[in-house]
Amino acid sequence: MNLHEYQGKELLNSFGVNIQRGIVADTPEKAVEAAKKLAEETGTGWWVVKAQVHAGGRGKGGGVKLAKSLDEVKSISNDILGMMLITPQTSAEGKKVNQVLITEDVYYPGESETSEFYISVLLNRATGRNMIMYSTEGGMDIETVAENTPHLIFTEEVDPKLGLLGFQARKVAFNLGLSGKAFKEMTKFVSSLYTAYIKSDSSMFEINPVLKTSDDKIIAVDSKVTIDDNALYRHKDYAAMRDLREENAIEVEANAVGLNYVDLDGNVGCMVNGAGLAMATMDLIKQSGGEPANFLDVGGTADAERVETGFRIILKDPNVKAILVNIFGGIVRCDRVAQGVVDAYRNMGNIEVPIIVRLQGTNATEAKTLIEESGLDVISVTEFQEAADRVKEVLA
Ligand code: GDP
Ligand code: MN
């Protein structure tokens, strides 16, 4: 589950991580109230209006703007709220902005220079350990830094039995070129950040930029937080942070009925049982010149009702030009699935795309007969390759 910037910052702060203070608002009037409140609490005279969408690169897309008066807070919020924000990480049509975060301005001038850093915490799958990835090159996207100046990216791996040790936090602060108060602040920042990552069962934190203010405080200016879905049952209170408006509508609907569905860009809808077979089916579709429109594992209980639900979900995607049903009957009986296909076809009445069905395993022969005798426009095959060839034919 991904969080909005403001939610991520609140979560970090609850574990003692210093953050740029802010208040979320969904109207320009509330934005002004938020700005006044921040001024009282922090003494700030300038504010930043930040679009809250699940995508990075908002600054580049015009979704992060500095406001130097309450009037500007109002007019900028008015412009940003409701806009379709296009960033390098959104689709071409962009993402609708429903909320803005009004923050204190933290780039004020002072005794020393401000500096921006990059810090993330994530799992290194190759070593099976969490690591802190960090760089002096904050504020830019890390992919660019990795490409042009890879030597400016450091990593620190954490032993799961020991946790993050003091010397490791100090090494981060040292490599970031800090000294004095900023050095101490950074070691505290990194330690609390790691604690937050572990305790919240997150799978990714990306803080870009982490700012050293002109008075040597270290604070999170941005936050990208992903909570591990498999651990959400341990954090019932996090459910309220889910913003379904940010998620793919078809996936939300499929997940609500217990289907394992992932929306993809292609044109061939897939209904498969078992994740392994689903992956193999997607490969096969690609080899035959098609592109999978989705990943769908209907699971081990692929009965008639589930098959029909699967069809309804797949057909919500307007790009689907053909559907490949690939079921291996072990516990699942193929004739039941075939009945599901026939029922769905009849009940829905409006399936216009060709359907290729490969049913193999328990009661496969009965299944094939059932489909052939139904008189419906369903292509029944037995071999994997044959299925792919037929997909190619119908797409031609
Ligand atoms: P992103 O573009 O989606 O990564 O959004 P960020 O939260 O990282 O903000 C983008 C940029 O806005 C940052 O890199 C900063 O340069 C700038 N910014 C953020 N907060 C402040 C602030 O308090 N004052 C000023 N002047 N600039 C800020
Ligand atoms: Mn950022």
Side-chain angles (χ1 to χ4, degrees):
M1 180 173 82
N2 292 324
L3 302 189
H4 281 296
E5 175 197 359
Y6 80 93
Q7 297 167 327
K9 280 174 163 172
E10 280 169 15
L11 182 129
L12 295 181
N13 197 234
S14 72
F15 290 101
V17 180
N18 285 337
I19 56 163
Q20 176 192 38
R21 302 280 305 278
I23 299 172
V24 75
D26 57 8
T27 66
E29 292 72 29
K30 287 186 199 162
V32 171
E33 287 313 306
K36 283 185 190 158
K37 194 150 180 251
L38 282 170
E40 279 168 25
E41 286 174 8
T42 67
T44 193
W46 288 2
W47 300 268
V48 188
V49 182
K50 310 181 81 177
Q52 298 299 289
V53 291
H54 287 188
R58 295 164 302 161
K60 282 185 196 135
V64 178
K65 294 226 164 95
L66 186 67
K68 298 186 180 174
S69 67
L70 290 173
D71 282 345
E72 280 185 21
V73 169
K74 192 164 186 179
S75 62
I76 294 169
S77 299
N78 192 43
D79 291 346
I80 293 181
L81 281 165
M83 83 186 278
M84 293 297 289
L85 181 62
I86 301 166
T87 85
Q89 293 182 16
T90 65
S91 65
E93 80 237 34
K95 285 204 134 179
K96 182 156 183 229
V97 183
N98 298 305
Q99 293 168 296
V100 285
L101 179 64
I102 308 301
T103 71
E104 58 174 331
D105 168 38
V106 287
Y107 287 58
Y108 47 83
E111 279 178 24
S112 67
E113 294 286 303
T114 56
S115 348
E116 294 179 317
F117 306 111
Y118 171 96
I119 304 184
S120 61
V121 189
L122 69 165
L123 174 68
N124 180 349
R125 291 183 187 276
T127 59
R129 291 181 169 198
N130 291 318
M131 65 179 185
I132 296 172
M133 192 187 282
Y134 60 105
S135 175
T136 48
E137 306 306 286
M140 314 193 236
D141 70 303
I142 199 70
E143 289 79 8
T144 312
V145 182
E147 200 162 309
N148 301 336
T149 48
H151 60 283
L152 296 178
I153 299 180
F154 304 92
T155 56
E156 190 63 33
E157 287 224 354
V158 182
D159 186 315
K161 290 198 293 291
L162 303 175
L164 183 78
L165 298 172
F167 84 90
Q168 294 183 295
R170 288 195 292 277
K171 191 163 136 201
V172 173
F174 179 80
N175 282 336
L176 291 175
L178 298 170
S179 59
K181 180 186 168 198
F183 182 98
K184 268 198 182 155
E185 288 271 321
M186 181 58 88
T187 59
K188 270 196 273 171
F189 184 92
V190 171
S191 303
S192 51
L193 193 67
Y194 191 75
T195 304
Y197 176 84
I198 294 297
K199 294 217 167 141
S200 61
D201 283 316
S202 287
S203 55
M204 208 253 328
F205 274 2
E206 189 181 52
I207 318 298
N208 187 22
V210 171
L211 184 75
K212 184 194 84 68
T213 63
S214 59
D215 46 359
D216 289 339
K217 288 197 285 252
I218 304 292
I219 57 177
V221 167
D222 193 4
S223 88
K224 230 185 198 185
V225 168
T226 306
I227 314 260
D228 184 347
D229 289 338
N230 295 313
L232 280 175
Y233 76 97
R234 295 207 285 216
H235 306 274
K236 299 272 192 284
D237 53 322
Y238 289 0
M241 291 195 284
R242 174 158 235 151
D243 186 350
L244 293 177
R245 294 172 295 190
E246 293 290 330
E247 296 181 23
N248 178 295
I250 309 178
E251 288 180 6
V252 170
E253 197 179 331
N255 294 343
V257 294
L259 286 174
N260 199 349
Y261 174 97
V262 180
D263 197 33
L264 300 168
D265 293 332
N267 53 5
V268 184
C270 311
M271 189 183 321
V272 190
N273 67 332
L277 188 58
M279 304 283 257
T281 305
M282 287 158 63
D283 281 352
L284 197 80
I285 289 170
K286 276 206 169 236
Q287 278 169 21
S288 59
E291 286 287 336
N294 64 277
F295 168 96
L296 171 60
D297 173 7
V298 287
T301 55
D303 56 16
E305 199 188 329
R306 227 169 146 69
V307 170
E308 186 171 331
T309 311
F311 273 122
R312 287 189 193 277
I313 297 281
I314 289 175
L315 286 166
K316 290 203 181 226
D317 178 350
N319 298 327
V320 168
K321 296 286 175 287
I323 297 179
L324 173 57
V325 179
N326 192 8
I327 303 280
F328 181 79
I331 296 168
V332 174
R333 280 172 39 196
C334 291
D335 54 331
R336 282 218 186 132
V337 177
Q339 191 61 52
V341 173
V342 172
D343 289 352
Y345 217 96
R346 292 218 169 102
N347 291 342
M348 293 175 70
N350 58 348
I351 301 183
E352 278 160 15
V353 302
I355 299 180
I356 296 112
V357 178
R358 173 187 179 247
L359 292 163
Q360 205 40 293
T362 311
N363 292 0
T365 324
E366 288 86 338
K368 199 161 195 288
T369 313
L370 221 155
I371 285 179
E372 275 160 11
E373 287 178 354
S374 73
L376 296 174
D377 193 13
V378 177
I379 305 166
S380 174
V381 301
T382 43
E383 298 308 315
F384 213 157
Q385 188 55 53
E386 199 186 346
D389 293 343
R390 286 305 184 84
V391 169
K392 195 172 183 173
E393 269 171 45
V394 301
L395 286 178

